[in-house]
Amino acid sequence: MEIIYTDVLCIGAGLAGERVAIEAASAGFETICLSIVPPRRSHSAAAQGGMQASLGNSVMGEGDNSDVHFEDTVKGSDWGADQEVARIFADTAPIVMRELAHWGVPWNRVEAGKDFYFKGGKKFEKEEKKEKHGLITARAFGGTAKWRTCYTADGTGHAVLYTVDNKATEMGVKMHDRTQAEILIHDGVNCYGAVARCLKTGKLRAYIAKATLIATGGYGRIYKATTNAVICDGGGQAICLDTGIIPMGNPEAVQFHPTGTVPTDILVTEGCRGDGGTLLDVNEYRFMPDYEPDKQELASRDVVSRRMTQHMNKGLGVKSPYGDHLWLDIRHLGEKHITTKLREVYDICTQFLGVNPITGLIPVRPTQHYSMGGIRTDKDGAVYGLKGLFAAGEAACWDMHGFNRLGGNSLAETVVAGKVIGEKVVEFLKGTEVKFSTSSIDDAVSKIQERIKNLENGKNGNENALDIRNAMQEIMMQDVGIFRNEKDLKDGVDKLLVLADRAKRIKLHSSVKGCNPEMTLALRVPGMLKLALCTAYGALMRTESRGAHTREDYPERNDRDWLNRTLAYCEEGKDLPVLKYEDPTPVYELPPGHRGYGEDLTIPADMSKLNIIKKPSN
Amino acid sequence: MSRTLTFEIFRYNPMDPDSKPHMQTYELDEYDSMTLFIALNRIREEQDPTLQFDFCCRAGICGACAMVINGRPGLACTTQTVKLPKKITLHPLPVFKLIGDLSVDTGTWFQNVNEKIESWIHTQKEFDPKAIEERMENALANEIFELDRCIQCGCCIAACGTARMREDFLGAYSINRLARFYIDPRDERSDQEFYDIIGSDQGVFGCLGLLGCEDVCPKEIPLIDQLGMMRRKMALRSLRQGKCS
Ligand SMILES: Cc1cc2nc3c(=O)[nH]c(=O)nc-3n(C[C@H](O)[C@H](O)[C@H](O)COP(=O)(O)OP(=O)(O)OC[C@H]3O[C@@H](n4cnc5c(N)ncnc54)[C@H](O)[C@@H]3O)c2cc1C
């Protein structure tokens, strides 16, 4: 088997992985990125709307600064975030946006003078300042006090990923695409890289690294209806859980985006509502102001998604062969705005839905969108449980999003975390002598070889990988969706346990020389089931409602008993995940309170027990 | 009336010495809003788990799923079956190395070309984390983004007469990409430096003007305009050089 040695192995070449790689390569370390697809096809490219940084250049962002951004982020998280991390994030985001401009991102810019904008279907005038002309501008997104979301038309993720990939190429980062990590190499204390499968040849390759990073993005594909790419199956999280000693943080925190389109589940950006789009029901009545008089369509995503579901449950959704939905209306923004600033939206509507959004309404409903939960790290990005292993981006629980992340904060997280954690990886490499252990390499290799052999021979049974995956996706939709309750969750956990057992008996029903697509899927299914179980079981045990985690039977946010973060482990020999809990944050710069939108049903914490600090003065 | 679609799909597994290139037929009932993404996945899930093809975003954004659809390169995920006749023939993109069936290695091709044309901003300036950003006109930012919208799907290369004849031709992709840097004031490369990369038959002067590239670009990028622009600039440069030497 081919063995490749490197200083740094980045598993994942989306924005987070590449940004870390750039930091390591700039410090002179040999760096390899693995990716299932060519790096530029990573799902970061699909982000349309933009990324948040408190530059405050637009007149609508006047008075913005990292304190306001920090507060919005912590409120958005429903006080689930690590406030030290949220602080690092908010302070660093403006620098990183400017760095991206320096590297070539064609950010949209402030144009001095009067122009119009829409809020909730009404037209308003604003006047941009002369002295800000030509600086990076911003648009409105949900859950923010200011216009703070920097963008390049509606191809922000694309433009930023291409720029960052250009930079990585310039820095000599090596890209091994069509390569899927299958198992970590470790000895229970240190991590030494990973064994990966080549998706061109089906052959295994061992990557031995002094430092390893997991930046494999989200795991939305455990749900049937998701805006995520087909490759977002949690491979990175699964190989961590597989060690038995690395926990998932807050796996139950799953974001549903208000505007997944029906029936394809393709996202249309929050920018639609940020730019003034409205939500209508079956009677073409605008219902959000009735629920959220202040923020209306621009309350945080968890709130809007819940209100939409609530409204559809009253029978006011639009019936369709694909289930109920609501309408998104952007007609009033006009042809020019729609075909320039929202062009991807225009393309998606015309190509996939047969709707022209200039004249017609867009069918939407809440759809799985983002994994707040992820591999738990400390504020340096170091993964709990193994030395030499780091995680960043959507794959990680760093944890600035807590139980709900704000639109535009996740793209920004990838590059901010990439820079911060990249620096920590470099520090680690400079400060440590790594001795590889050959026995752990052999261990990992033989484990994965055996898994592959068993699948080919059907040593354990005759189950079909696809059937199991499909059943799991249905269970997650039905029992672990937006509104949750004990009965459904218990049911879901039980059904998932049965599937997990069946998954031990998967057999391939085809044989192909080289890379068999059925093998690629079969190798993923057991890991996806682990993630699904952590999500469902974490949700069952958390008897409160916080951020995106909504329990019908426990509607209160319970700061008295549940102001904590779930840590879910998959220990060898145990069917159910083992759950532990930790404080969400070492310090409270912003003590728990009302978010300013959504219902306020809080059972308060004993504030005297919380470590409340004043804002660190800079 | 719902139709039964007949798919003729190119099959070949270069990893298997016994495999020979051939066409295989599959039948599938069409339904509402069906795209080739849905159709190919159904064929793989219900009829043939060995069929190889690539999808990623399935929303027309990432460029993973380009293939030749009834003789014309395009993105499979954005192609609705209602717009096609009952018989649908699918081939992998030419020019790129075949991985298997409909799957080709665009990643390596674009990575090599990006290294060759040094597809990044060349600047002597150091980034200053304390300074505010340099100003730029919004109109220029839009112009740059317009050329930056390419998703590296490979359709323009597959549709290009020159690229199919000569392996070293950089193709419309590269010319557009360089045009993007050429109009970006942050890139300090001189005309001469651009000329050295594409002022040859491998670059702008190799194009036969068959216009296949722009026709098939799923992002409708004005590739021919870029080619014309770069050609004029490069031709001027070679004229000037001719006079000087
Ligand atoms: C449709 C959509 C729109 C969005 N819009 C916005 C927005 O406007 N603003 C915002 O802030 N956020 C947005 N988000 C969220 C944001 O885009 C993502 O959270 C972010 O891009 C994730 O980046 P990443 O680098 O962590 O992961 P990704 O970009 O997903 O990259 C993951 C990488 O890991 C690789 N990989 C995965 N598994 C393996 C494995 N087993 N072995 C090897 N490699 C592997 C993949 O190939 C890929 O290279 C959006 C998300 C979606 C789905």
mmCIF file with all atom_site columns, all heavy atoms in Angstrom, chain A residues 384-397:
data_model
loop_
_atom_site.group_PDB
_atom_site.id
_atom_site.type_symbol
_atom_site.label_atom_id
_atom_site.label_alt_id
_atom_site.label_comp_id
_atom_site.label_asym_id
_atom_site.label_entity_id
_atom_site.label_seq_id
_atom_site.pdbx_PDB_ins_code
_atom_site.Cartn_x
_atom_site.Cartn_y
_atom_site.Cartn_z
_atom_site.occupancy
_atom_site.B_iso_or_equiv
_atom_site.pdbx_formal_charge
_atom_site.auth_seq_id
_atom_site.auth_comp_id
_atom_site.auth_asym_id
_atom_site.auth_atom_id
_atom_site.pdbx_PDB_model_num
ATOM 1  N N   . TYR A 1 384 ? -10.967 17.369 21.269 1.00 0.00 ? 384 TYR A N   1
ATOM 2  C CA  . TYR A 1 384 ? -10.986 16.644 22.546 1.00 0.00 ? 384 TYR A CA  1
ATOM 3  C C   . TYR A 1 384 ? -10.572 15.198 22.304 1.00 0.00 ? 384 TYR A C   1
ATOM 4  O O   . TYR A 1 384 ? -11.112 14.546 21.412 1.00 0.00 ? 384 TYR A O   1
ATOM 5  C CB  . TYR A 1 384 ? -12.417 16.607 23.117 1.00 0.00 ? 384 TYR A CB  1
ATOM 6  C CG  . TYR A 1 384 ? -12.901 17.859 23.807 1.00 0.00 ? 384 TYR A CG  1
ATOM 7  C CD1 . TYR A 1 384 ? -12.388 19.119 23.506 1.00 0.00 ? 384 TYR A CD1 1
ATOM 8  C CD2 . TYR A 1 384 ? -13.922 17.777 24.765 1.00 0.00 ? 384 TYR A CD2 1
ATOM 9  C CE1 . TYR A 1 384 ? -12.877 20.258 24.137 1.00 0.00 ? 384 TYR A CE1 1
ATOM 10 C CE2 . TYR A 1 384 ? -14.413 18.909 25.405 1.00 0.00 ? 384 TYR A CE2 1
ATOM 11 C CZ  . TYR A 1 384 ? -13.883 20.147 25.078 1.00 0.00 ? 384 TYR A CZ  1
ATOM 12 O OH  . TYR A 1 384 ? -14.368 21.266 25.697 1.00 0.00 ? 384 TYR A OH  1
ATOM 13 N N   . GLY A 1 385 ? -9.645  14.708 23.086 1.00 0.00 ? 385 GLY A N   1
ATOM 14 C CA  . GLY A 1 385 ? -9.401  13.256 23.048 1.00 0.00 ? 385 GLY A CA  1
ATOM 15 C C   . GLY A 1 385 ? -8.087  12.828 22.416 1.00 0.00 ? 385 GLY A C   1
ATOM 16 O O   . GLY A 1 385 ? -7.497  11.846 22.843 1.00 0.00 ? 385 GLY A O   1
ATOM 17 N N   . LEU A 1 386 ? -7.620  13.521 21.364 1.00 0.00 ? 386 LEU A N   1
ATOM 18 C CA  . LEU A 1 386 ? -6.369  13.105 20.716 1.00 0.00 ? 386 LEU A CA  1
ATOM 19 C C   . LEU A 1 386 ? -5.471  14.320 20.468 1.00 0.00 ? 386 LEU A C   1
ATOM 20 O O   . LEU A 1 386 ? -5.952  15.353 19.982 1.00 0.00 ? 386 LEU A O   1
ATOM 21 C CB  . LEU A 1 386 ? -6.643  12.429 19.373 1.00 0.00 ? 386 LEU A CB  1
ATOM 22 C CG  . LEU A 1 386 ? -7.154  10.989 19.357 1.00 0.00 ? 386 LEU A CG  1
ATOM 23 C CD1 . LEU A 1 386 ? -7.340  10.528 17.916 1.00 0.00 ? 386 LEU A CD1 1
ATOM 24 C CD2 . LEU A 1 386 ? -6.223  10.038 20.103 1.00 0.00 ? 386 LEU A CD2 1
ATOM 25 N N   . LYS A 1 387 ? -4.195  14.185 20.757 1.00 0.00 ? 387 LYS A N   1
ATOM 26 C CA  . LYS A 1 387 ? -3.240  15.263 20.442 1.00 0.00 ? 387 LYS A CA  1
ATOM 27 C C   . LYS A 1 387 ? -2.873  15.214 18.958 1.00 0.00 ? 387 LYS A C   1
ATOM 28 O O   . LYS A 1 387 ? -2.830  14.149 18.353 1.00 0.00 ? 387 LYS A O   1
ATOM 29 C CB  . LYS A 1 387 ? -1.962  15.065 21.259 1.00 0.00 ? 387 LYS A CB  1
ATOM 30 C CG  . LYS A 1 387 ? -2.097  15.559 22.672 1.00 0.00 ? 387 LYS A CG  1
ATOM 31 C CD  . LYS A 1 387 ? -0.692  15.781 23.265 1.00 0.00 ? 387 LYS A CD  1
ATOM 32 C CE  . LYS A 1 387 ? -0.744  15.604 24.759 1.00 0.00 ? 387 LYS A CE  1
ATOM 33 N NZ  . LYS A 1 387 ? -0.433  14.273 25.259 1.00 0.00 ? 387 LYS A NZ  1
ATOM 34 N N   . GLY A 1 388 ? -2.579  16.377 18.407 1.00 0.00 ? 388 GLY A N   1
ATOM 35 C CA  . GLY A 1 388 ? -2.169  16.426 17.003 1.00 0.00 ? 388 GLY A CA  1
ATOM 36 C C   . GLY A 1 388 ? -3.345  16.378 16.058 1.00 0.00 ? 388 GLY A C   1
ATOM 37 O O   . GLY A 1 388 ? -3.173  16.271 14.846 1.00 0.00 ? 388 GLY A O   1
ATOM 38 N N   . LEU A 1 389 ? -4.550  16.430 16.602 1.00 0.00 ? 389 LEU A N   1
ATOM 39 C CA  . LEU A 1 389 ? -5.744  16.420 15.760 1.00 0.00 ? 389 LEU A CA  1
ATOM 40 C C   . LEU A 1 389 ? -6.530  17.708 15.988 1.00 0.00 ? 389 LEU A C   1
ATOM 41 O O   . LEU A 1 389 ? -6.792  18.090 17.136 1.00 0.00 ? 389 LEU A O   1
ATOM 42 C CB  . LEU A 1 389 ? -6.627  15.206 16.096 1.00 0.00 ? 389 LEU A CB  1
ATOM 43 C CG  . LEU A 1 389 ? -7.899  15.053 15.259 1.00 0.00 ? 389 LEU A CG  1
ATOM 44 C CD1 . LEU A 1 389 ? -7.567  14.840 13.783 1.00 0.00 ? 389 LEU A CD1 1
ATOM 45 C CD2 . LEU A 1 389 ? -8.746  13.880 15.758 1.00 0.00 ? 389 LEU A CD2 1
ATOM 46 N N   . PHE A 1 390 ? -6.858  18.383 14.899 1.00 0.00 ? 390 PHE A N   1
ATOM 47 C CA  . PHE A 1 390 ? -7.585  19.647 14.957 1.00 0.00 ? 390 PHE A CA  1
ATOM 48 C C   . PHE A 1 390 ? -8.847  19.537 14.103 1.00 0.00 ? 390 PHE A C   1
ATOM 49 O O   . PHE A 1 390 ? -8.952  18.647 13.260 1.00 0.00 ? 390 PHE A O   1
ATOM 50 C CB  . PHE A 1 390 ? -6.698  20.785 14.431 1.00 0.00 ? 390 PHE A CB  1
ATOM 51 C CG  . PHE A 1 390 ? -5.453  21.004 15.259 1.00 0.00 ? 390 PHE A CG  1
ATOM 52 C CD1 . PHE A 1 390 ? -4.331  20.190 15.095 1.00 0.00 ? 390 PHE A CD1 1
ATOM 53 C CD2 . PHE A 1 390 ? -5.405  21.995 16.226 1.00 0.00 ? 390 PHE A CD2 1
ATOM 54 C CE1 . PHE A 1 390 ? -3.186  20.378 15.867 1.00 0.00 ? 390 PHE A CE1 1
ATOM 55 C CE2 . PHE A 1 390 ? -4.267  22.199 17.007 1.00 0.00 ? 390 PHE A CE2 1
ATOM 56 C CZ  . PHE A 1 390 ? -3.155  21.388 16.815 1.00 0.00 ? 390 PHE A CZ  1
ATOM 57 N N   . ALA A 1 391 ? -9.791  20.445 14.332 1.00 0.00 ? 391 ALA A N   1
ATOM 58 C CA  . ALA A 1 391 ? -10.983 20.471 13.478 1.00 0.00 ? 391 ALA A CA  1
ATOM 59 C C   . ALA A 1 391 ? -11.409 21.916 13.286 1.00 0.00 ? 391 ALA A C   1
ATOM 60 O O   . ALA A 1 391 ? -11.219 22.752 14.178 1.00 0.00 ? 391 ALA A O   1
ATOM 61 C CB  . ALA A 1 391 ? -12.116 19.657 14.096 1.00 0.00 ? 391 ALA A CB  1
ATOM 62 N N   . ALA A 1 392 ? -11.950 22.220 12.098 1.00 0.00 ? 392 ALA A N   1
ATOM 63 C CA  . ALA A 1 392 ? -12.382 23.588 11.807 1.00 0.00 ? 392 ALA A CA  1
ATOM 64 C C   . ALA A 1 392 ? -13.519 23.583 10.799 1.00 0.00 ? 392 ALA A C   1
ATOM 65 O O   . ALA A 1 392 ? -13.675 22.647 10.027 1.00 0.00 ? 392 ALA A O   1
ATOM 66 C CB  . ALA A 1 392 ? -11.209 24.405 11.249 1.00 0.00 ? 392 ALA A CB  1
ATOM 67 N N   . GLY A 1 393 ? -14.302 24.654 10.838 1.00 0.00 ? 393 GLY A N   1
ATOM 68 C CA  . GLY A 1 393 ? -15.402 24.801 9.876  1.00 0.00 ? 393 GLY A CA  1
ATOM 69 C C   . GLY A 1 393 ? -16.656 24.105 10.374 1.00 0.00 ? 393 GLY A C   1
ATOM 70 O O   . GLY A 1 393 ? -16.812 23.842 11.575 1.00 0.00 ? 393 GLY A O   1
ATOM 71 N N   . GLU A 1 394 ? -17.534 23.785 9.438  1.00 0.00 ? 394 GLU A N   1
ATOM 72 C CA  . GLU A 1 394 ? -18.816 23.207 9.830  1.00 0.00 ? 394 GLU A CA  1
ATOM 73 C C   . GLU A 1 394 ? -18.648 21.846 10.503 1.00 0.00 ? 394 GLU A C   1
ATOM 74 O O   . GLU A 1 394 ? -19.480 21.438 11.310 1.00 0.00 ? 394 GLU A O   1
ATOM 75 C CB  . GLU A 1 394 ? -19.749 23.096 8.605  1.00 0.00 ? 394 GLU A CB  1
ATOM 76 C CG  . GLU A 1 394 ? -21.177 22.757 9.002  1.00 0.00 ? 394 GLU A CG  1
ATOM 77 C CD  . GLU A 1 394 ? -22.151 22.834 7.836  1.00 0.00 ? 394 GLU A CD  1
ATOM 78 O OE1 . GLU A 1 394 ? -21.828 23.479 6.816  1.00 0.00 ? 394 GLU A OE1 1
ATOM 79 O OE2 . GLU A 1 394 ? -23.239 22.249 7.956  1.00 0.00 ? 394 GLU A OE2 1
ATOM 80 N N   . ALA A 1 395 ? -17.564 21.134 10.192 1.00 0.00 ? 395 ALA A N   1
ATOM 81 C CA  . ALA A 1 395 ? -17.325 19.824 10.799 1.00 0.00 ? 395 ALA A CA  1
ATOM 82 C C   . ALA A 1 395 ? -17.095 19.928 12.299 1.00 0.00 ? 395 ALA A C   1
ATOM 83 O O   . ALA A 1 395 ? -17.276 18.971 13.033 1.00 0.00 ? 395 ALA A O   1
ATOM 84 C CB  . ALA A 1 395 ? -16.126 19.148 10.135 1.00 0.00 ? 395 ALA A CB  1
ATOM 85 N N   . ALA A 1 396 ? -16.664 21.104 12.756 1.00 0.00 ? 396 ALA A N   1
ATOM 86 C CA  . ALA A 1 396 ? -16.244 21.266 14.143 1.00 0.00 ? 396 ALA A CA  1
ATOM 87 C C   . ALA A 1 396 ? -17.349 21.877 14.991 1.00 0.00 ? 396 ALA A C   1
ATOM 88 O O   . ALA A 1 396 ? -18.258 22.516 14.493 1.00 0.00 ? 396 ALA A O   1
ATOM 89 C CB  . ALA A 1 396 ? -15.002 22.150 14.192 1.00 0.00 ? 396 ALA A CB  1
ATOM 90 N N   . CYS A 1 397 ? -17.225 21.668 16.300 1.00 0.00 ? 397 CYS A N   1
ATOM 91 C CA  . CYS A 1 397 ? -18.028 22.411 17.264 1.00 0.00 ? 397 CYS A CA  1
ATOM 92 C C   . CYS A 1 397 ? -17.017 23.212 18.067 1.00 0.00 ? 397 CYS A C   1
ATOM 93 O O   . CYS A 1 397 ? -16.482 22.749 19.060 1.00 0.00 ? 397 CYS A O   1
ATOM 94 C CB  . CYS A 1 397 ? -18.825 21.434 18.140 1.00 0.00 ? 397 CYS A CB  1
ATOM 95 S SG  . CYS A 1 397 ? -19.788 22.236 19.424 1.00 0.00 ? 397 CYS A SG  1
#
